[in-house]
Amino acid sequence: MLPTENRLRRREDFATAVRRGRRAGRPLLVVHLRSGATDPHAPGESAPLTRAGFVVSKAVGGAVVRNQVKRRLRHLMRDRLTELPPGSLVVVRALPGAGDADHAQLARDLDAALQRLLGGGAR
């Protein structure tokens, strides 16, 4: 599970990642990345944490399906936080097909989107 300190919770943080970050779309999800953003709410001079948030609408499915997709995405992001620059804000928006996808398909789309955002993939 994704640690609490690595989760996006504030509406402003979601908006910052979506409006000011880069975007990569895949068939099952869209990933927004705001690289190296500093957290104005963090006290002290500690290194800023990479934080991730998830948007799963009713178009994905019922409550059970949406929660299952969110759990899968949180698990996948936990393993990928170290690949992202410190202080990054990531928003993963699940598209309607994500409800029918299995874990491997979500992982493949997430990896492809992150690789593209981090400069490893062509347009």
Side-chain angles (χ1 to χ4, degrees):
M1 195 54 58
L2 191 64
T4 303
E5 62 269 10
N6 292 112
R7 292 188 191 178
L8 279 183
R9 299 227 185 251
R10 294 185 176 95
R11 181 179 190 168
E12 307 89 49
D13 294 338
F14 275 88
T16 299
V18 171
R19 292 186 184 137
R20 296 194 181 127
R22 296 180 62 213
R23 178 184 71 210
R26 302 296 302 157
L28 300 177
L29 46 87
V30 177
V31 178
H32 299 269
L33 174 67
R34 170 83 169 152
S35 295
T38 57
D39 182 8
H41 309 290
E45 297 180 10
S46 62
L49 294 171
T50 299
R51 294 180 295 144
F54 307 94
V55 178
V56 184
S57 73
K58 288 185 180 180
V60 173
V64 173
V65 173
R66 290 195 313 269
N67 284 320
Q68 183 180 33
V69 169
K70 282 188 274 189
R71 282 194 307 270
R72 287 178 177 170
L73 290 172
R74 280 196 303 262
H75 178 76
L76 290 168
M77 276 307 299
R78 179 191 65 186
D79 299 334
R80 289 154 181 82
L81 286 176
T82 57
E83 301 169 12
L84 301 170
S88 295
L89 302 178
V90 181
V91 173
V92 180
R93 182 168 43 97
L95 297 176
D100 299 326
D102 64 5
H103 189 79
Q105 291 170 318
L106 286 173
R108 196 168 32 252
D109 272 9
L110 182 61
D111 287 336
L114 288 175
Q115 183 178 6
R116 181 172 165 195
L117 288 170
L118 295 173
R123 276 189 164 253

